[in-house]
Every structure is written in C-alpha cells, then in structure tokens.
Amino acid sequence: MESGGLKPMDAEQLRENAHKMVDFIADYYKSIENFPVLSQVQPGYLHNLIPDSAPHHPESLQNILNDIQEKILPGVTHWQSPNYFAYYPSNSSVAGFLGEMLSAGLNIVGFSWITSPAATELEMIVLDWLAKLLKLPEDFLSTGQGGGVIQGTASEAVLVVLLAARDKALKRVGKNSLEKLVVYASDQTHSALQKACQIGGIHPQNFRVLKTDSSTNYSLSPDSLAEAISRDLTIGLIPFFLCATIGTTSSTAVDPLLALGNIAKSNGMWFHVDAAYAGSACICPEYRQYIDGVEEADSFNMNAHKWFLTNFDCSALWVKDRNTLIQSLSTNPEFLKNKASQANMVVDYKDWQIPLGRRFRSLKLWMVLRLYGLENLQGYIRNHIQLAKHFEGLVAQDLRFEVVTPRIFSLVCFRLLPPHNDEDHGNKLNHKLLDDINSTGKIFISHTVLSGKYILRFAVGAPLTEWRHVNAAWEVMQDKASALLARLSIE
C-alpha cells in the first residue's frame, strides 16, 4: 500500500470516511422524494458510464460518491421512498441501519458457537423475544426442543424446513420413496415453495397447487386440501408437507391455520406457516387472531426485513423440533470440531441453514426491539394499516374503480372498471394504467392476477410514508385513469 493512501483498516481513517458516508446516506434520505421512485433507465445503461476494467491506482472517496450520485442512483428503484407502494415493503430504519453498521464493523462469521458466542446466544435470545411478542407456542422457544434462527429470506426458510420434512418422512417410509412424496399449497403460495421442491428433489408432478377463488377470499379451502390428500393416498402416494400462508403475496389472503393444521396432523404431515409479510402485524393484539392455530404448525416464518423496521436481510424462522433441521443439514468436518460442539453444550447455527458462514444479523433485530420498543412498533404497523384503509376508502368513492378483495392489513387490491363492462378489455386497460402511473416516476405500484383479472396492488409500508403521500398517489392514479379513459372514448 502506498503511504498516505487508504489502509486496509485504520481506526481514524474509518472514522473520517464513515462520517462522509453517513452524511451522504443522510442527505439521500433528505432528498429521496426528488428521485423517480421506479428507475427510468434502460437495460445496459451502466456499461456506457463505468470503465470496462478496474483502476490500477486508488481513487478518492469523493470521486466515488460523485459517481454514485450521477451514475448509480439513476439506476436505483427507491424502495425506501415514501411513494413506494409496490410488491411488499422492505423496511430500513435508523435502528436497523445502526445494527447493520455494527454487524459490518465487527464482521464476524458466526457459523458455530465458538466462532462468536455472543452472535449465537443473542440470536437465540432475540428470537425468543420476538416469539413471545407474537405469542407463539412455547414449543418454538429455545428453552425447549425447538427454537428460532435467522435466515436470509423466506425462500431459504421454506427450503430448510422442506428438506427437514423430506428426510423425516423418508426415514419413516424408506429412502427409496422420494418419488411418492407429495407437497400441498394453494395457488396463492409464494413461488419460493416451488423452487424449494425443485432443489429438494420433489417430483414436479407431486407438487399440488390447489385452486382458490373469491368465495374464500383466495384462502386455501380445508375441504379442497382433504380431497386432494384422499386422492393421493388412494393411488399410493405419501402426503408429507403442507405450506399455509398468512398474508399471501397477491392479495394478503389468510389461510385457516387450525383446520389445515388438523388435516396435516391427522396425515402425519409437516405443517409450515409462511407469514413473511403479515407476521409483523401479529404483534398487535387485534391482528394476532390471524395466526390462531399456529400451535398446530411445525415451523413458522416471518420477515423482519419486510414490515418490522429491520434492514434486509433478516427472516425469522422457528421450529418445534430443532433436531429435524440439524439431522438434515449438519456436517461435522474435522476442522470445525471443538469441545463445546462435541459435548452438545451449544447451538451451532451452521446446522440450521444452507450455507456455512453467517452474519451477525441478530444485532439489527436487537437494536430495533430495544430502540423502538413494542409500543412504537405496534403504532408503526397500525399507522400503515390506517393509511391503507384510507386509500381503500378513496378507491371506493370513485365509481370508475373497484376494490377487488377485502383489505385485511396494509395492501389494497383494486382495478379500473372497463367501460361497458367489457372484461376482455379490462386486463389491457389496467395493464396500460399501471404503465402510465409508474412512468410518471411519482409513485411505484405493482400488479397481480386474480381469477384471470389483472389487478393493481397498493401496498403501504415504507417508513417515510404519510397521509399526504397516499393522497398524492391517488391523485396520480385518478389523473392517469381520466386521461386513459378519455383516449379510449376518442378511439
């Protein structure tokens, strides 16, 4: 390293440069509403702006920050913008940021207890805290046979429990029965389950996607599940895994956990509950009812990085029997052996996940829970739900639109009604409306399809969103709808 340049690590250089970076990030948040929410660049834009090889000599941080401002930020879709209403939120917060900063600063690789005892033990404690806030059954606490673990995403969570369930089933029915194992879910279940089945070797023809419709508000019918299981048993297949969802991606449908769990239990199946989005709301007593029946589940997952002020990534997974995960995922090479692990005195989270290495993610969640506290977190959730309720009311007042499914949490599903009830044209109309809205850069929303209809989704959940942003977003939608309908009447 050249003298006078940036050293690999130096406390004072870190202090100086980190101050500059924090200032840059704080200024970004102060000006975030000035950016188009959805990036307006074209594919390949950055190749024309960045050199095609790395620099031979060091550059200044200021030059890099200038490049970020001029070249990178135009290609960013601003998930933390108060005008971001697409998909589901991915929360950032002061507390979450501080925890992320500390995790990066310590930069431990906590795959086993001995590699950083605090990382393992804090994760156990904090996930017990969160389980208690959600009033999960005691079986999910680390004090018993179960416990919690932070995965990167809900996709990783459903994969590891599927693998555990598969191996548990094969141990019972014989290792040559893989081709007979059947997985069940609704057509509203996240596509992560399909990917987990592909990785886990479940035969594609044995992945049962059960149809839902508006009669159950797109939740999974217990009767439909029972019939599917009965048919499969009749032809000699082995039902082994059921995934229910609390707050589906398309419309926040809530599957009936108690009834589904009873069916799963009577058939010896693993019952997984995916509450990636809506689980956060269940810290509020008035929304806890939506996970009634979770006592029947073998595993439960919620994403703290969606709607719980914890920076990505932080997906909390609880299991009732941690040994099923460990038996499926553990390895014990010589170079990782140590006294504490060999004596079974500790938890080694490497055996609860796909990768070996893992970050000190519990710091973020610990910071969020301590710096905000339950009262403020509940208020945060309730405020977003009130904003969504307000938006739902605005849509209902405009007879050109309809609310498609009942709003439960902070997502509103709606659409522009086609003139003359021309349903064939309705999907194209709403597709065009979505493009017109998002091309303004003022807001960003996304879509889904329910019962063959193209639906617009308005998901409230960004930390900076206020009433004025919801009202302004609705004005954009009304203006674009008026212009679109006017063009149609001319044509």
Side-chain angles (χ1 to χ4, degrees), residues 158 162 178-199 201-211 220 225 228 231-232 237-245:
V158 75
L162 181 98
L178 181 60
E179 64 186 21
K180 295 182 179 180
L181 297 184
V182 187
V183 172
Y184 302 83
S186 86
D187 58 3
Q188 301 301 304
T189 303
H190 196 282
S191 57
L193 179 59
Q194 180 185 351
K195 183 178 283 190
C197 288
Q198 291 168 199
I199 296 170
I202 305 303
H203 287 216
Q205 65 269 27
N206 289 346
F207 178 38
R208 300 281 177 266
V209 179
L210 304 176
K211 188 173 174 55
L220 177 55
L225 173 66
R231 284 195 301 270
D232 287 332
L237 296 177
I238 304 169
F240 88 102
F241 190 88
L242 168 64
C243 181
T245 307

Side-chain angles (χ1 to χ4, degrees), residues 297-410:
D298 296 283
S299 50
F300 179 86
N301 172 230
M302 66 147 305
N303 283 350
H305 62 238
K306 272 193 169 68
W307 198 17
F308 205 71
L309 289 174
T310 308
N311 293 41
F312 188 83
D313 54 352
C314 187
S315 183
L317 170 68
W318 291 270
V319 291
K320 277 186 177 173
D321 180 5
R322 58 177 173 264
N323 285 326
T324 53
L325 272 188
I326 293 167
Q327 288 168 13
S328 187
L329 299 170
S330 68
T331 56
N332 191 28
E334 184 63 37
F335 58 84
L336 295 182
K337 290 180 180 177
N338 64 85
K339 190 183 297 183
S341 296
Q342 299 303 105
N344 289 319
M345 297 166 56
V346 295
V347 164
D348 288 334
Y349 275 129
K350 70 180 179 62
D351 299 328
W352 297 45
Q353 61 177 25
I354 300 299
L356 173 66
R358 61 200 327 271
R359 300 169 61 240
F360 201 165
R361 288 179 291 216
S362 58
L363 284 172
K364 291 184 287 191
L365 192 51
W366 192 47
M367 289 273 197
V368 165
L369 290 169
R370 292 188 67 187
L371 287 172
Y372 296 124
L374 176 60
E375 186 177 41
N376 283 326
L377 289 166
Q378 288 173 333
Y380 176 74
I381 296 288
R382 287 170 177 146
N383 178 57
H384 283 152
I385 293 173
Q386 281 300 115
L387 291 176
K389 185 177 181 181
H390 172 62
F391 180 80
E392 181 185 37
L394 294 174
V395 175
Q397 290 169 18
D398 190 328
L399 298 181
R400 301 173 301 173
F401 290 85
E402 70 168 346
V403 175
V404 177
T405 59
R407 180 202 51 76
I408 303 175
F409 303 106
S410 67

Side-chain angles (χ1 to χ4, degrees), residues 454-466:
Y454 192 97
I455 308 297
L456 306 182
R457 298 171 71 263
F458 187 84
V460 181
L464 293 169
T465 301
E466 300 174 357

Side-chain angles (χ1 to χ4, degrees), residues 271-310:
F271 183 31
H272 176 64
V273 176
D274 174 359
Y277 159 70
S280 297
C282 298
I283 64 166
C284 302
E286 65 270 32
Y287 297 106
R288 172 58 178 75
Q289 60 178 305
Y290 293 110
I291 56 170
D292 284 354
V294 70
E295 58 272 14
E296 302 300 331
D298 296 283
S299 50
F300 179 86
N301 172 230
M302 66 147 305
N303 283 350
H305 62 238
K306 272 193 169 68
W307 198 17
F308 205 71
L309 289 174
T310 308

Side-chain angles (χ1 to χ4, degrees), residues 224-239:
S224 173
L225 173 66
E227 289 166 11
I229 291 173
S230 179
R231 284 195 301 270
D232 287 332
L233 288 171
T234 301
I235 59 176
L237 296 177
I238 304 169

Side-chain angles (χ1 to χ4, degrees), residues 72-285:
I72 301 299
L73 289 183
V76 168
T77 289
H78 300 276
W79 284 67
Q80 305 310 316
S81 169
N83 297 307
Y84 181 99
F85 303 104
Y87 310 117
Y88 277 136
S90 181
N91 280 183
S92 177
S93 69
V94 175
F97 180 85
L98 294 175
E100 187 70 67
M101 184 187 289
L102 183 56
S103 177
L106 297 176
N107 202 37
I108 62 101
V109 185
F111 48 81
S112 59
W113 178 86
I114 198 171
T115 61
S116 271
T120 296
E121 296 192 13
L122 184 63
E123 188 160 331
M124 295 170 70
I125 291 166
V126 169
L127 286 182
D128 281 352
W129 281 10
L130 186 52
K132 290 172 184 176
L133 294 185
L134 292 165
K135 294 182 169 57
L136 295 183
E138 287 191 4
D139 292 345
F140 286 119
L141 300 180
S142 65
T143 48
Q145 297 302 308
V149 56
I150 298 176
Q151 304 284 343
T153 63
S155 301
E156 293 168 51
V158 75
L159 173 58
V160 297
V161 296
L162 181 98
L163 295 177
R166 178 201 65 185
D167 292 350
K168 182 181 178 183
L170 291 177
K171 197 172 183 180
R172 186 180 80 245
V173 301
K175 63 182 180 181
N176 295 323
S177 298
L178 181 60
E179 64 186 21
K180 295 182 179 180
L181 297 184
V182 187
V183 172
Y184 302 83
S186 86
D187 58 3
Q188 301 301 304
T189 303
H190 196 282
S191 57
L193 179 59
Q194 180 185 351
K195 183 178 283 190
C197 288
Q198 291 168 199
I199 296 170
I202 305 303
H203 287 216
Q205 65 269 27
N206 289 346
F207 178 38
R208 300 281 177 266
V209 179
L210 304 176
K211 188 173 174 55
T212 62
D213 58 39
S214 59
S215 68
T216 61
N217 291 326
Y218 299 97
S219 67
L220 177 55
S221 160
D223 290 341
S224 173
L225 173 66
E227 289 166 11
I229 291 173
S230 179
R231 284 195 301 270
D232 287 332
L233 288 171
T234 301
I235 59 176
L237 296 177
I238 304 169
F240 88 102
F241 190 88
L242 168 64
C243 181
T245 307
I246 304 301
T248 57
T249 304
S250 280
S251 64
T252 64
V254 173
D255 291 336
L257 298 189
L258 186 58
L260 296 175
N262 286 333
I263 294 170
K265 181 184 286 186
S266 65
N267 288 279
M269 300 165 65
W270 185 291
F271 183 31
H272 176 64
V273 176
D274 174 359
Y277 159 70
S280 297
C282 298
I283 64 166
C284 302

